[in-house]
Every structure is written in structure tokens, then in C-alpha cells.
Amino acid sequence: MTAEDTEDGHAPRTAEDSGTAVRGQLRRGALRSRHLTMIALGGIIGASLFVGSGSVIATAGPAAIVSYSIGGVLVALVMRMLGEMAVARPALGSFMEYARVALGDRAGFVVGWLYWYFWVGVVAFEAVVGGRIIGGWTGGPAWVFAVGLMLLLTASNLLSVRSFGETEFWLASIKITTIVVFLVVGVLYVLGLLPDSRLSVSNIGYGGFFAQGAYPVLQGVVVVIFAYFGTEIVTMAAAESRQPARAIARATNTIVWRILIFYVGSVALLVMITPWPDIPSTSSPYATAFDRFGLPAASTIIDAVVLSAALSVLNSGLYTASRMVYALGGNGWAPAWATDTTRRGVPWKAILLSTVVGYFAILMNYVSPDRVFAFIMNSAGAVALFVYIIIALSQIRLRNRLTREGRFDTSLRMWLHPWLSVLSIAAIVAILATMGYMSDTRSQFYLSLVSVAVLLVAFPIVQRHRRRSRVSPYPR
């Protein structure tokens, strides 16, 4: 084991790829480079891009490009901060640990459970989306298909880490292939190089670039920021690869062009292909674009892609939630049995615990969609932004501390430290304030504050139990 694989003399909570994982430890080397590459590439492409981009364009007009750009810049900065910490202390494994080391136990506890809660809600939501798509194709009950998808992806995660990686590899491949095809054909279409097409680049200014005004651009940022959430998954998955620091550095260094091409580039093409008032706000604008290209059954094909995107998010969400609760268990902030692993290094109890809320939420979507299910979804609505703030605060504190101690790894630095980190925090606070102001997102903002308050109240209770149980995390 190399020096970069240890921290303060302690081995990371992973086992080498020797065929059988050590009990209670994850398995190092289970995820290969190609898995991490697809997790990094596909993690930024969710079902919200294929469907939700239409509502953003309807809100901001062609200036939706600016909304996606602003959101993308913010996420790129957060990923750079996260990448710097992960390279500087590669053995820590997740930003919950960075928060604990930099800001104290309370911050680690809160961000860990917030992140877990966010993802178990996302898992339920994506299962519901997938169930509706299959139900629409077959005419069968959507809730049955939603439960079936949950069972299928739970089994994939339980089988082995490699099984998760392979599943994500192929699901991400479908999303990426679709976007690449759209980008190539879309460019040819707007340049008038396809049959029955004409030069339509000027559609980007249809009715004026800021046709809806400036404020809707900020409203669009509130929506699109959540479409980007999930890019940080690769920093957690890298803990189960052979060279975590290298994998994290590579993913962090490529985040900017991934955002520019997949999101900003494709949204720019959408408003060039079709005048923005004609882009549907409640269905996929990509289906409309492919229909203009003359692709037969465009709507059905895009539905299949949206299904694959939903399954990808469901798959990676289960993985991420289980690893977070596993890390919480290692710190004594979740039941100790959450760290139990199979012979293949799979934290099977953490996975099953992470599915409980998912199954309950699926049930509530069909029993009480306007009350219980809406509460679960809304109470996690702003959580991603709270997590980003804690990541930024952790980076500032940890960078300063490691620099003073002469232990800062300079191979991957946050740009213009600490000013861009502070600016990122200010931008996130502005987005949260906008959420509190907008009627459509106000309930998400306040219910998410309730989630934070519950965790702050729970922390001293859990901390006392941890002391009685004599659970000691790695030293700071």
C-alpha cells in the first residue's frame, strides 16, 4: 500500500483486490477505469436533461443557455473544491469525512445524513418515473413496474460492486450515445446540411435572446442546479478503485468540458433547431428535435432513453446512499450493522436500509401523492445546495490547515483560493434565497430547512450514544 492510500497512519476502509474483501471493509479495485469513466461522464446526464430542459427554456427563452452556464460554472467550482480535498486526503473517501475533519463532528453528521436522505428520495422518484414509462407502454399498473425496477437495481447493487459498475457502464453508454448523436446530427441540421433542413442558427435570437427578461434566467438557475447534482458520485466510487486519487483528479479536470458539451451545447442546439416558443415544456424537447430530423418513432426512442437515464440515476443513487450510510456507521452515527459487508465487499445492510425509504415513497406516491410523497420529495428539495455550502466551507478550512502544516498536495488546486470558494458560497446562498422567494420552490426551501433542523436536534443524542458505544473515527 502506498503513502497516498493512507492517512495519518491508518489504512482506508477498503480492502485490496485479493478475491475476498475483509469483513466490514469495501473492496479496493472492484471498479475499473472504464467504470469510473462512464460514471463520471454519465453522472452529469440525468432524465432531467432530456425532459426538464423544456421547462427551463419555456421560463427563460433562449437565455436558458445562460441559466445552464451559470449552474454549470457553480458545479464545476464545487467539483474542483471536492477534487482538491480528495487528492489531498484520498483515504477519507467522502465529503462527509472532509466536513468532519474540517468543520467538526456536527457538520459531518449533518451533511452525511442530508446527502443520504436526498438520494433515497431521488431513488424513489426515478423508480416512479421509470414505472410510469413502462406502464405507458404496456398499459399495466405503474406502481408494480416501479417496485420491480427497485428490486432489479437493488439486486444489481447487492450482487457485487463490479455488478453495479457494469450496470452503470451500459446505462451511461446509452445516455452518452444519445447525446453525442444529437449533437452531431443537430449541428448538421442547424447548418442546413441535412435533407429538408435550412440554416437555422438565427433561431437562438428568436424574439430576442433575453425574450423573457433577466429574472427568469435566475429562476432557470434554481431549476438546472439540481440537474447537475450527482457529478460528485465519482469521488465516492473512486474509493473502490485501485487509484482513487488519480481517478478523482481525472474526473475533476474534465468536468468543465463535460458541462459545456452535454448541457450548454445541447441546450444551445435545441433553441437553434426549434424556435423556443415551439419547444414543449412538459415533454421532451429532444423528442421534438429528433422528430424534425426525420427519425421514426422519435418519441418512443426518447422515452427509452429517459428510462435508461432514470435507471442509471436509480442505480447510482442506491450505490451512493449505501456508501454514505456505511461511512456514517463507521463513525458511529448510524447503526453499527450498517458497516457489515459480504465476502465481495458489498455493504448489503446499508443497501437494504437505503431502499426502505424508496419503497415507502413509491407506496405513498400511489396512496397519498399530494401529501406524504410530496412531503418526502420537497423536504429534500434544497438539500443539494446545503451540501454544496458545506463542501465549500470544508475546502476553505482544510486547505488552510494543510497548507499551514506543510501537507497540502499541490497537484490539484482550487482556483483563486479562497475567493472563488467564497463567491461560490455567496452564489449558493443567492439561489437558496430565490428558492424561498419563488412560489414554486418555497415549500422545498422551508421543508429542507426542517430536515436540517431535525438533524441538528438529533446530533447531540446520537453523539452521546456514540460516546457510550466508544466508537472512534479516524483522527483529524
Side-chain angles (χ1 to χ4, degrees), residues 255-309:
I255 183 68
V256 174
W257 71 257
R258 283 185 280 138
I259 288 173
L260 285 174
I261 294 176
F262 293 146
Y263 272 90
V264 179
S266 64
V267 170
L269 277 176
L270 285 174
V271 296
M272 292 180 193
I273 293 167
T274 308
W276 72 268
D278 298 331
I279 295 176
S281 60
T282 57
S283 59
S284 174
Y286 289 85
T288 301
F290 277 116
D291 197 40
R292 283 180 175 264
F293 299 159
L295 181 68
S299 180
T300 301
I301 292 173
I302 293 299
D303 276 348
V305 174
V306 171
L307 176 61
S308 72

Side-chain angles (χ1 to χ4, degrees), residues 432-448:
L432 285 169
T434 305
M435 286 189 70
Y437 176 76
M438 291 169 53
S439 58
D440 291 343
T441 55
R442 191 175 298 138
S443 63
Q444 296 179 28
F445 174 71
Y446 287 111
L447 287 175
S448 294

